[in-house]
Amino acid sequence: MTAQHSAGLWQLAWRRLRADRWAMAALAVVLAFLLTLLLSASGLIVADWEQEVAVSFAPPGWAAAAAGSGAGAPLNDTDALLRDNPFDPLADDLRALRSELGRPDGKASLPMYGVTDPLADDLAQLRAAHGAGGTTGATGARLATLPFGADKWGHDVLKKTVKGGETSVVVGLVAALLAVALGTLLGALAGYWGGVVDALLNGLYNIFTAIPSVLMILAVAAVLQQKGVLTIVLILGLTGWTGPYRLIRAEYLKHKGREYVLAADAIGASHWRKMFVHIFPNVSHVALVQLSILVVGFIKAEVVLSFLGFGVPVGVVSWGSMLNEAQNELILGRWWQLTAAALAMAVLVTAFSLLTDALRDALDPKVKF
Amino acid sequence: MLSTRQLVRIVAIALACGWGSSSALDEPVKTLRYILPAAEASLDPVQGRDLYTGHITEAIFETLYTYDYLARPVRLVPQTAAALPQVSADGLSVVIRLKPGIYFTPDPAFGGQRRELTVADYVYSWKRLFDPQLASPNSWLLEGRIAGLDALAAAARQRGRMDYAAPVAGFEQLDRYTLRLHLTRPDPSLGMILAYEPLAALAHEVVQRYGDAQGEVASHPVGTGAYQLGKWVRGSRIVLDANPGYRDERWDFAASADGSPADARIVRQMQGKKIPQIRRIDISVQLEDQSRWLSFTSGAADLFWLDGPLAPRAIRNGQLRPELAAQGIQLQRIVDPVLTYYYWNMQDPVVGGLSKEKIALRRAIAMAHDVDEEIRLLLNGEAERLAMPVPPGVAGHDPAYRSLLQYDPVLANRLLDRYGYRKGVDGWRTLPDGKPLLIRYTSRSEAAGLQMAELWRKTYTRLGIRMESQRMVFSDIQQAEQLCQLQSRTYQWMADYPDGDNFMQLFYGKNIHQNNNGCYQDARYDRWFEASRALPPGPQRDALYRQMARLLEVQAVAMPAYTRYRSMLAQPAVLGYKRHPILHQEWKYLDIERKDKQ
Amino acid sequence: MLAYIVRRLAQMLPTMLGVVLLLFVLFNWVGGDPAYLLAGKMANAESIANIRRQLGVDQPYWVQLGIFLRQIATLDFGLSWATGEPVGQIIATRLGPSLTVLVPLTLLETALGIALALAIASVRGSLTDRLVMVACTVGMSVSILVYIIVFQYQLAYRFGLFPVQGWGEHLGENLLRYASLPILIGLAVSIAPTLRLYRSFVLDEVGQDYVRTARAKGLGEARVMWLHVLRNAAIPILTHVMASLPSLLIGAFLLERFFGIPGIGREVILAVERSDFPVIKAITVYVALATMLVNLLTDLLYQALDPRVRLS
């Protein structure tokens, strides 16, 4: 008699997932995003996103042709080109000449009104040794259009979107991991031990859920007043653990009395071993689904937090900071940054949500198809 | 029992009545609709420190003097005073006469009587500046000017509360309407100081009845001005109604000396009309730029402050865009008497100090910052470079003055190399002694603060210096500044009164922990400043100011950057509008003529 | 029943104390010294010490906690640090506008959600179902900020269908004129998650035996859905609506900010920006209290609706 090897939960789930075309498409999209994230984080792509390669508010290449004919609505973009004269190939030379005229050699032309300059000699020597200063070497003419346009500083919006995605997704992932880890740990403790521990943790849960998460986040942000990626991750993670906690606790309560746990007890497994080596693999699918849900929620929360000013610090770009900038740009008729960030976020969040749904259905043996 | 259909009908009618009644009850009152871009704060003038609230307190309360509406450069004229102050020959005593027949708006605090304004009210209000419980941010206005007032202030600080009954030698009340001030030194700018909003008159009955534990009347303003407070939804909507008991004043200003045709038109429109023509000011607070702009362009606001981010929407190359001009929209664009400058904390161990190394560090940073780029990108070109701390239009400004600090990042880098700020293996510079160099730039948490921090990051990166951005709420910034805890910041100082003294005092040693944000102290500067105080505006004082400005530059204490343009848009229905550089708002001098009933 | 209510109220007390303690730690300990926020531009050391004394900030922590507890018990949180307005008055006056937007929004959203969920459930598994679900997912993935910015620009400004922003005097005017666009946007943003959730509730019911029985009896599909399924699905739906009420109050802060509606959400954001601790503390305490009371109410309603449930 051959022993039939029955597939485990994960294998069954994978099979079901594979059969669902939408889910596979969503998975592909999510993996593509994650791959881009890895490439961006390692610096293999978009490492130069901070270069100001274009003129301020350069329009997208494919839209520039269509724009300009709009009746009376957004700004005529040639304005921007005229006003930002870095496009002028002579700009650097003119600037150098201007500065030279202002200061032929040293400060002989400027009246000092009886005040001595302690650095006068040094500056005169430096100028004499190296010639008139002027600006840094010409960075080259700036581009007039880019595939997805440029922002106020002339950064490439496409590169910003990729880099911003890295930040937003990392914030979402790490915060979600923190929340799920915390929730799982506390849920396991509460569900497994029961009694006083359960009562205490439930009390903590009640306290945290008595305050709406939005309010909690704002209150913590108001008090901390410290910006930074770490702060956002902490705020989101420390306020988001309640959802996973409740579900994991229910799971542990269910599994505590099962036979395999009693068997583990019989072989002398310690409490920690029972909790995390024996029971946890059986409830991990719940944690995974929660993780997925929270990632989506936290990416969206980061956007709102950045809009309110509690987001990423200066020099770090995220989709939230892009939307924050884009809000004022829209009234001026510059729609490309808003579109890029909103589109990228929409695609990722949609894919993630579809994947989460499919995952939940695939992992739940009771759902009928 | 009513059927569903009947019920729905009744509800619909009820709602329609609610809707209809609001428009039916609206009398055709001449209303001006205005938008404030930030929420108002306390309506007690003694606490006034932001110009948004200043719009409102200026309409409700009155100072002794004000400025001629049309005259440029600005000229002091009497408001509640009967005439300009009469200064004695030695300059140490000033006689002020009040117009009789000015009354506060009726209020239960006056017990049903009509309450006339007297000089005692002004003396009372000025003493409030030094009340330690109020901790007014404006006490420096009268510090060191009036005989005996500083002693009173010191005694009050000791006791922890102000004794309003105690007499002050410098305030000699000759009768109900006449006051003689005894000064500690001749003070040419006294008149302008008395025209500044925190020195407006309050009635002590109102303070006693409505003041909180500190004696602040934040929510119940009762003044003598052309307007009084009507409906108020805090942080959202403020309605000012014309004061029915306002004295009979007629619009009577002459076109300014520069003879612009616009002035002539204004005089034609407004001459002889009773003040105020506009009976109601409906102010709404709108924080989001898009909401504000869309409100104005859809006709829901009559007067609009076009600030930096929105400027390109309406202005091109300094002119109003043709499509807006075609609608008849009016643009008033003036240079605001405001100084924006960058300072470095002179008491800070990293960036402060007067040793050559530290001076070199600050000079290099100043030379590496591209002010033109800041004006172009952050302000959309709506500002003008400033070379000295006194902006144009203010007494003491010298248009021919040239600054030492020019944009020259290559030279700046060489200067740092020379003074030992070597680049480490990671490419960032260190201090000459090898310790890591990190400079902290502080800005506000709003969007504008973020952009400034981004710009400064570029500057420091140009030099190879690591920069850390610190963003805080404005009030936190003020606290830290007073304690000299910040390292570097961009500061904007708006003229309280149009005199260079108001700007040069920002660097006076005695003003550390008050207005002197850079915590700068230099014996030479202080000596020159005190000397300049004794001089009236003129070439002698200008020469001192030039020396002081040059000293600030060679020591790289602070770098004046720019003064911004103030652009105001008005709908075609608004008559008589000319933006005044010092007054917060000009509502009582305006009129509205709506062609179509809106 | 009464005993149950009393017991639940008694159980709320430790939670409330926990919330109070959490807020106290957050604002008084982590938040640092607030006196400077009040001292103004020219604060010197003496006026700062004065104010710190008045606020009791220089007292030991247990005294400060006592002050906080007293404030909660007497419902008097003092004055706002930014405007000097009594905090109780702030909350009382801002509640009206917030509710004017939220009550119609909740009602419409629930009604629409139920109707659409039932409709979708009747075609479950089909391509329509799948497409609608994907559309919902896409709709949910666009940030609410984008909705607000674009809707306000297009509908209010370009097409002039609604006022750009503002708030009026009378309830009718507010409801029909000023609240319309915010409610519309609120609906657009919330319809997707609501539909998904209600659909899952309905589908849970549709698989049950009694539905098969009802169909076997010969009842029309519409009657089966609206009469039988809805009654059973109403329980989780109601639970969801009640549970989301307290957070709705604060959650509309973006709408209030953009449309100039003087509500609680906008007040909270202003208070957070200005570090106006009394307002933030008061609102948090009241909302926490409301949340707990709403939970109790939900459980009671649960029992009223579902006779199988026995409250222990």
Side-chain angles (χ1 to χ4, degrees), chain A residues 153-169:
Chain A
W153 305 103
H155 302 137
D156 186 345
V157 166
L158 204 55
K159 293 196 180 142
K160 269 182 85 174
T161 310
V162 173
K163 197 70 183 172
E166 178 200 322
T167 313
S168 295
V169 174

Side-chain angles (χ1 to χ4, degrees), chain C:
Chain C
M1 175 65 110
L2 195 61
Y4 175 76
I5 296 178
V6 169
R7 204 173 344 119
R8 279 292 294 269
L9 285 173
Q11 278 171 357
M12 278 198 317
L13 217 53
T15 310
M16 201 60 217
L17 279 173
V19 170
V20 168
L21 203 61
L22 179 66
L23 289 179
F24 180 74
V25 166
L26 198 60
F27 285 101
N28 289 47
W29 185 52
V30 180
D33 199 330
Y36 295 116
L37 294 169
L38 299 172
K41 206 154 87 169
M42 306 292 166
N44 48 36
E46 296 146 46
S47 54
I48 292 176
N50 234 348
I51 294 180
R52 292 183 81 236
R53 222 174 305 135
Q54 280 166 6
L55 289 177
V57 176
D58 54 348
Q59 309 268 20
Y61 281 119
W62 49 271
V63 175
Q64 293 186 44
L65 185 59
I67 298 177
F68 190 28
L69 284 169
R70 184 169 33 93
Q71 284 180 328
I72 298 176
T74 58
L75 298 181
D76 174 20
F77 288 87
L79 305 173
S80 152
W81 287 354
T83 61
E85 196 184 351
V87 175
Q89 192 182 323
I90 294 181
I91 297 182
T93 48
R94 306 294 187 268
L95 207 51
S98 275
L99 289 176
T100 311
V101 172
L102 290 171
V103 170
L105 179 61
T106 312
L107 289 173
L108 284 172
E109 165 190 305
T110 311
L112 206 59
I114 291 176
L116 287 177
L118 289 174
I120 278 294
S122 59
V123 292
R124 64 194 164 283
S126 69
L127 186 62
T128 323
D129 184 24
R130 212 60 210 258
L131 282 173
V132 169
M133 282 301 103
V134 172
C136 278
T137 313
V138 174
M140 276 167 67
S141 60
V142 177
S143 173
I144 176 175
L145 285 172
V146 176
Y147 277 102
I148 297 180
I149 295 174
V150 173
F151 272 55
Q152 189 185 38
Y153 185 74
Q154 296 290 352
L155 293 180
Y157 177 58
R158 294 292 291 279
F159 296 114
L161 294 172
F162 302 96
V164 171
Q165 67 94 52
W167 201 247
E169 319 286 317
H170 309 272
L171 180 62
E173 183 189 7
N174 284 335
L175 207 50
L176 293 174
R177 253 185 97 210
Y178 292 111
S180 315
L181 186 54
I183 292 180
L184 188 65
I185 297 181
L187 268 177
V189 170
S190 64
I191 199 63
T194 310
L195 179 55
R196 277 166 60 97
L197 195 63
Y198 291 2
R199 173 181 168 276
S200 73
F201 292 151
V202 169
L203 283 183
D204 281 343
E205 294 302 316
V206 158
Q208 303 277 357
D209 289 339
Y210 69 87
V211 173
R212 209 179 15 211
T213 313
R215 285 211 195 99
K217 270 181 12 185
L219 289 174
E221 192 67 17
R223 222 177 135 75
V224 171
M225 283 298 192
W226 283 90
L227 204 54
H228 294 281
V229 172
L230 184 58
R231 273 173 83 183
N232 288 293
I235 299 166
I237 288 177
L238 186 72
T239 316
H240 172 254
V241 172
M242 299 284 282
S244 60
L245 278 180
S247 54
L248 268 184
L249 212 57
I250 313 294
F253 63 84
L254 283 172
L255 284 173
E256 288 176 9
R257 191 181 165 99
F258 269 89
F259 290 97
I261 303 174
I264 294 248
R266 186 173 183 267
E267 208 58 45
V268 169
I269 300 295
L270 274 177
V272 168
E273 282 174 354
R274 300 197 282 213
S275 293
D276 196 350
F277 285 0
V279 175
I280 306 176
K281 281 200 292 204
I283 293 184
T284 312
V285 164
Y286 287 136
V287 172
L289 201 59
T291 308
M292 289 190 277
L293 287 172
V294 165
N295 283 343
L296 176 60
L297 211 64
T298 312
D299 285 342
L300 291 174
L301 244 80
Y302 211 90
Q303 199 199 23
L305 282 176
D306 189 350
R308 292 172 296 174
V309 171
R310 275 281 161 266
L311 298 167
S312 52

Side-chain angles (χ1 to χ4, degrees), chain B residues 151-283:
Chain B
L152 180 73
R157 265 197 307 276
Q158 271 248 331
R159 223 178 309 118
R161 48 174 193 79
M162 164 66 74
D163 180 8
Y164 288 98
V168 174
F171 293 140
E172 191 188 340
Q173 296 182 37
L174 300 174
D175 61 47
R176 263 172 83 86
Y177 306 111
T178 322
L179 178 69
R180 180 182 282 142
L181 297 175
H182 297 276
L183 310 177
T184 57
R185 53 175 167 76
D187 197 350
S189 48
L190 184 68
M192 289 190 290
I193 297 215
L194 293 180
Y196 186 41
E197 200 38 43
L199 300 200
L202 263 79
H204 62 93
E205 297 95 325
V206 172
V207 176
Q208 268 153 21
R209 192 180 164 115
Y210 300 106
D212 63 7
Q214 273 79 34
E216 181 178 340
V217 188
S219 334
H220 197 101
V222 175
T224 59
Y227 292 98
Q228 58 188 3
L229 187 66
K231 247 182 298 276
W232 187 18
V233 180
R234 276 179 192 65
S236 176
R237 187 160 172 240
I238 307 120
V239 176
L240 297 173
D241 297 309
N243 177 1
Y246 195 61
R247 56 189 180 275
D248 184 20
E249 275 205 13
R250 299 279 154 172
W251 204 103
D252 183 22
F253 300 103
S256 73
D258 62 11
S260 71
D263 276 11
R265 195 181 71 232
I266 291 175
V267 173
R268 247 193 343 266
Q269 285 170 342
M270 301 296 300
Q271 185 66 29
K273 287 188 181 174
K274 190 169 182 331
I275 289 177
Q277 278 294 302
I278 299 183
R279 310 304 294 170
R280 178 174 292 160
I281 315 284
D282 193 340
I283 307 167

Side-chain angles (χ1 to χ4, degrees), chain A residues 52 75 107 111 122 125 331, chain B residues 313 321 404 418-419 458:
Chain A
E52 293 171 13
L75 278 181
K107 274 164 263 333
D122 291 299
Q125 283 170 23
I331 338 170
Chain B
R313 231 22 196 128
R321 288 182 164 274
L404 258 187
R418 193 193 186 93
Y419 274 89
K458 280 175 61 174

Side-chain angles (χ1 to χ4, degrees), chain A residues 120-134:
Chain A
D121 300 326
D122 291 299
L123 288 170
Q125 283 170 23
L126 283 172
R127 271 201 204 91
H130 301 269

Side-chain angles (χ1 to χ4, degrees), chain A residues 11-288:
Chain A
Q11 280 170 305
L12 276 172
W14 175 241
R15 257 187 244 156
R16 282 200 207 116
L17 210 62
R18 259 224 316 253
D20 186 350
R21 266 178 303 135
W22 291 88
M24 292 316 284
L27 184 63
V29 171
V30 172
L31 284 176
F33 265 91
L34 287 176
L35 184 66
T36 323
L37 189 161
L38 277 169
L39 286 174
S40 154
S42 62
L44 286 171
I45 56 171
V46 302
D48 58 346
W49 71 272
E50 264 194 295
Q51 302 269 21
E52 293 171 13
V53 292
V55 298
S56 175
F57 289 132
W62 40 274
S69 56
L75 278 181
N76 189 347
D77 292 308
T78 52
D79 266 10
L81 290 175
L82 283 171
R83 206 174 21 218
D84 306 319
N85 63 10
F87 196 42
D88 179 358
L90 292 179
D92 287 315
D93 298 304
L94 282 173
R95 239 193 300 203
L97 277 170
R98 236 180 281 132
S99 57
E100 243 171 88
L101 284 169
R103 276 189 345 262
D105 31 54
K107 274 164 263 333
S109 62
L110 270 184
M112 291 304 290
Y113 308 115
V115 177
T116 42
D117 180 4
L119 298 183
D121 300 326
D122 291 299
L123 288 170
Q125 283 170 23
L126 283 172
R127 271 201 204 91
H130 301 269
T135 64
T136 45
T139 44
R142 290 188 173 200
L143 300 170
T145 67
L146 282 172
F148 231 100
D151 69 357
K152 178 192 219 55
W153 305 103
H155 302 137
D156 186 345
V157 166
L158 204 55
K159 293 196 180 142
K160 269 182 85 174
T161 310
V162 173
K163 197 70 183 172
E166 178 200 322
T167 313
S168 295
V169 174
V170 164
V171 167
L173 264 175
V174 176
L177 273 168
L178 179 63
V180 170
L182 198 58
T184 305
L185 180 66
L186 294 178
L189 287 172
Y192 184 83
W193 288 107
V196 174
V197 176
D198 189 20
L200 273 172
L201 287 173
N202 275 349
L204 196 64
Y205 172 80
N206 284 334
I207 294 173
F208 269 82
T209 46
I211 309 175
S213 60
V214 171
L215 202 48
M216 193 74 219
I217 292 175
L218 288 175
V220 173
V223 169
L224 284 184
Q225 289 294 344
Q226 247 176 17
K227 321 296 182 221
V229 178
L230 190 63
T231 315
I232 313 175
V233 167
L234 278 176
I235 295 178
L236 291 174
L238 293 177
T239 51
W241 61 269
T242 50
Y245 167 85
R246 194 169 60 96
L247 291 169
I248 297 286
R249 174 179 169 275
E251 289 293 310
Y252 267 78
L253 281 174
K254 244 184 356 194
H255 285 251
K256 196 170 61 168
R258 294 252 172 102
E259 285 166 352
Y260 72 92
V261 177
L262 296 174
D265 210 14
I267 64 170
S270 73
H271 290 297
W272 294 101
R273 257 189 94 76
K274 272 190 285 187
M275 270 200 282
F276 294 109
V277 176
H278 293 274
I279 302 183
F280 182 67
N282 293 311
V283 308
S284 57
H285 63 283
V286 174
L288 182 65

